[in-house]
Amino acid sequence: MRLNLAPEVATITASAQGEQVLELLAQDLLSKARCARLTTAHGVIDTPAFMPVGTQGSVKGVSPRELRELNAQIILGNTYHLFVRPGLDVIKHFGGLHKFINWDGPILTDSGGFQIFSLSKLRKITEDGVEFQNHVDGARAFISPEIAMEIQATLGSDIVMALDECIPYPCEYDYAAQSAEMTTRWARRCKEWREENAQRPTSNGQRSIKDAAAVASVVSADTRSLRTAHPTARQLLFGIVQGGTFEGLRKQSAQAIVELDFDGYAIGGVSVGEPEAEMMRAVESAEPFLPKDKPRYAMGLGTPPQLLEMIARGMDMFDCVLPTRLARNGTAFTDTGTLNLKNAEFARDKPPIEENCVCPACRGFSRGYIRHLVKTEEILGLRLITLHNLRFYLELMNQARAEIERGAFDQFRKTFVADYKTRDAMMIE
Amino acid sequence: MRLNLAPEVATITASAQGEQVLELLAQDLLSKARCARLTTAHGVIDTPAFMPVGTQGSVKGVSPRELRELNAQIILGNTYHLFVRPGLDVIKHFGGLHKFINWDGPILTDSGGFQIFSLSKLRKITEDGVEFQNHVDGARAFISPEIAMEIQATLGSDIVMALDECIPYPCEYDYAAQSAEMTTRWARRCKEWREENAQRPTSNGQRSIKDAAAVASVVSADTRSLRTAHPTARQLLFGIVQGGTFEGLRKQSAQAIVELDFDGYAIGGVSVGEPEAEMMRAVESAEPFLPKDKPRYAMGLGTPPQLLEMIARGMDMFDCVLPTRLARNGTAFTDTGTLNLKNAEFARDKPPIEENCVCPACRGFSRGYIRHLVKTEEILGLRLITLHNLRFYLELMNQARAEIERGAFDQFRKTFVADYKTRDAMMIE
């Protein structure tokens, strides 16, 4: 049964450049789950959508061809990692991230903020931005909201993220409040940089950096060489809601970020070690203040049940390293929970990882063979489990969309969550 | 120009079971290079042929689908490694090696002898066979010529190798002479086991082990469980010539092994650290005594120029870990030598590894991107270089066959060898 859409659900929104961005297709009646189509410069994304994580310009263990065969519609790239290696001058030399990595579908890049806070050494946060030493060779660099925009313009991502501060868990209320306010001011600067640079490209493609003089003393050679950045006209810019685990701050942050009018909205600072109930409440606190006609992205999560719970709470887009990271540890996802294929119980097991799965692993290989590959540290083992896990996450989104469209999502979610057992620890490193 | 074949070249040989084995198609006039078709239970192999090495039941980093797309016609499996992990009972449970690894093309397995001598601990060689502790968990096991045959029957390989002793370099003459004589006696026992078991299968598939009583005290549980081995009727059995770097011993060994009448002949104990000139002389010393109507396999080598030199000396089949092992170190093969893609010179290099190469790496990716993947230890980097290197070796064999057929092999070899530079050390570990 196809649901009738309420008038506001059928709204089609437009980006700052006047293009269609989000087309809402269906809305679940028993939850906030919805189906939509998000249009980007490199193609359309059906939401709810899972974005495989290509941290360093490669979804770990997987080729672009395999991603296409898995029907991945969008991948994520980590600005921080790419900024450190190979460096932006190299990616610019190759004509942007799409060409460098040979992926012609949509790419979302984060702002780099999360990794600066989680990976780099000796970081110093000021109102201007963040000075840090990278985790690879310790080189000093500086990222401001404007530089984060310029970097992502150079990468040529389809969706770029505003620079935010991702606070740890637990966090004092006062710090969380001040940080969320600074994140809003940074978001405004990202928006302003973008408006300025979309309106006033110079003839040779050079763009001004508002605070170039202020940062010149610490900005890296990579950043300094970005004077011929790629067009930003067709990039979508998402703002990020922060506020930690405090309901009031999440509401205030959402209202302030939405006030700035972005192409989409992300909820950041979740899945950073807080209990699952806190994570759900953080999203529930912000969601009512996000416009229905814009995409919503819950950053950096989660398990399969968590994704369905997030969809039920009105979230559209997800990225998570679990399917690729756990695969490298021999762990496979199934509808009834995870399997650790290192376990001796699978040594003589002839079935595939999951019956009726059509992924390249399940079409050709037994659990017993994959276990052998994992135990002997053969690369093919992690490759096969990675393909299975990515297909599992992508297929879960396909199922969610189908169930929303036929008005049965809520029951699907409840049944799936009840049947799903996490057999092995699945902590994100 | 197609060469006319001398009468003996057109001979088609038959295996012990009366099947066609080798069909000679062309013979170079200026060297001993020849083209042929070798028929096995799982398909035909065009020679000269390169066999990718699937040590532990996987060609490292590569899927069976990718091997098929590379037009690999046969792969090699290492009996020793598979014997240690997952163990023969597991492979038997899955119905043999082909089914276990999902590869339906021909497989050649070695006897396990080489790895026992190079990897295992506390090995003790007697006339009966070799007692050893494996390198993984130190478990004791025993392999005799008969057990090596039985193991390979269980694996279900298309081509099985007689058990030999592979002596190190350098080696005293007396030891080399005695060892080669024992290898001949072992070869005879392999042949006898095979004739006995091909002629007298019991109704439930059980086969006798001639010296079962003698070895029962040390044989592993894996080996003891092999009482329902796979049919050996369609397996080809190759004998192995030894003799170290001594011309007289190589001649004597070749004559003695040929006297036993195998389906094919291998030259073992080469590429074990001896100078290249010694390696060539070892092959040249044995080759004149090998029948022209049987396949000749030069074991465990070598660089691209070495393969062409071996083809010129009448060799038909090769296996080598260089294309896969060097790929994992960032080294790629090209017509003019190897490239170490870790080098900074490739950071901004837009061409593929090799122009006009049609491998999956060269069709989609720049040297600069692959260098980035290697430097950041992304698995896709070694995958792409592995595919390129395997395709390079397989294509070199295609070229060799074409040049032999048109009567231009000798010039092709000389030009290739002269143009080829090894830019980086390529020692086999």
Side-chain angles (χ1 to χ4, degrees), chain A residues 319-347:
Chain A
D319 75 291
C320 189
V321 296
L322 280 180
T324 43
R325 183 171 292 167
L326 291 192
R328 298 198 297 283
N329 189 35
T331 298
F333 288 92
T334 78
D335 277 343
T336 53
T338 56
L339 303 179
N340 188 330
L341 290 162
K342 283 184 178 169
N343 290 346
E345 64 180 299
F346 301 117

Side-chain angles (χ1 to χ4, degrees), chain A residues 408-421:
Chain A
F409 175 76
D410 209 57
Q411 187 55 49
F412 166 69
R413 167 179 65 95
K414 285 175 182 157
T415 304
F416 184 94
V417 172
D419 290 348
Y420 189 91
K421 300 278 182 295

Side-chain angles (χ1 to χ4, degrees), chain A residues 55-66 69 81-82 85-86 89-90 93-95 99-102 328 346-351 360 363-370 372-373 375-380 382-384, chain B residues 55-66 69 81-82 85-86 89-90 93-95 99-102 328 346-351 360 363-370 372-373 375-380 382-384:
Chain A
T55 305
Q56 302 186 114
S58 162
V59 176
K60 288 195 186 298
V62 184
S63 70
R65 171 190 171 189
E66 287 166 333
E69 290 174 351
H81 286 285
L82 296 167
R85 288 188 300 196
D89 55 335
V90 170
H93 173 77
F94 281 94
K99 288 184 182 169
F100 185 57
I101 72 175
N102 193 24
R328 298 198 297 283
F346 301 117
R348 291 163 180 267
D349 219 5
K350 289 183 180 175
R363 282 203 312 263
F365 305 93
S366 65
R367 291 174 175 181
Y369 178 58
I370 295 174
H372 164 66
L373 295 175
K375 292 292 286 181
T376 53
E377 299 180 355
E378 285 288 341
I379 288 163
L380 183 59
L382 70 88
R383 280 185 60 191
L384 292 175
Chain B
T55 306
Q56 302 187 111
S58 162
V59 176
K60 286 194 187 300
V62 184
S63 70
R65 171 190 171 190
E66 288 166 334
E69 289 174 351
H81 286 283
L82 296 167
R85 289 186 302 194
D89 55 336
V90 170
H93 172 77
F94 282 94
K99 288 183 182 170
F100 186 57
I101 70 175
N102 194 23
R328 298 198 298 283
F346 300 118
R348 291 163 181 268
D349 219 4
K350 289 184 181 175
R363 281 202 312 263
F365 304 93
S366 63
R367 290 174 176 181
Y369 178 59
I370 296 172
H372 164 67
L373 295 175
K375 291 293 285 184
T376 53
E377 298 182 354
E378 285 288 342
I379 288 163
L380 183 59
L382 70 88
R383 279 186 60 191
L384 292 175

Side-chain angles (χ1 to χ4, degrees), chain B residues 6-195:
Chain B
E8 82 276 11
V9 174
T11 302
I12 293 173
T13 187
S15 75
Q17 289 71 42
E19 298 162 15
Q20 283 185 13
V21 174
L22 193 76
E23 182 185 5
L24 284 165
L25 301 175
Q27 168 71 55
D28 187 41
L29 288 180
L30 297 173
S31 74
K32 295 188 171 180
R34 70 247 197 93
C35 277
R37 288 164 59 89
L38 175 61
T39 299
T40 75
H42 284 84
V44 166
I45 300 145
D46 296 308
T47 69
F50 176 74
M51 304 183 280
V53 180
T55 306
Q56 302 187 111
S58 162
V59 176
K60 286 194 187 300
V62 184
S63 70
R65 171 190 171 190
E66 288 166 334
L67 288 169
R68 285 187 283 268
E69 289 174 351
L70 289 169
N71 295 319
Q73 292 182 309
I74 176 172
I75 63 172
L76 181 143
N78 285 122
T79 292
Y80 169 85
H81 286 283
L82 296 167
F83 178 84
V84 173
R85 289 186 302 194
L88 294 171
D89 55 336
V90 170
I91 293 176
K92 187 178 158 195
H93 172 77
F94 282 94
L97 188 56
H98 291 84
K99 288 183 182 170
F100 186 57
I101 70 175
N102 194 23
W103 169 256
D104 60 5
I107 297 176
L108 179 148
T109 47
D110 60 15
S111 68
F114 182 79
Q115 275 81 22
I116 291 175
F117 297 116
S118 60
L119 289 179
S120 74
K121 295 174 278 194
L122 292 174
R123 61 191 168 275
K124 183 181 164 197
I125 307 170
T126 65
E127 185 69 26
D128 276 346
V130 196
E131 189 183 340
F132 64 98
Q133 288 185 282
N134 78 52
H135 68 298
V136 174
D137 62 6
R140 282 161 61 98
F142 178 84
I143 287 187
S144 67
E146 294 78 11
I147 293 172
M149 291 296 96
E150 191 155 3
I151 291 172
Q152 293 179 83
T154 296
L155 294 174
S157 339
D158 299 84
I159 302 174
V160 308
M161 304 300 297
L163 186 66
D164 63 330
E165 182 184 6
C166 182
I167 58 174
Y169 176 87
C171 180
E172 293 294 321
Y173 180 88
D174 286 352
Y175 189 90
Q178 289 166 22
S179 171
E181 285 171 13
M182 188 181 71
T183 285
T184 297
R185 292 191 295 274
W186 284 4
R188 180 178 297 114
R189 286 164 57 187
C190 289
K191 188 87 193 302
E192 288 170 355
W193 184 92
R194 183 186 166 72
E195 283 165 0

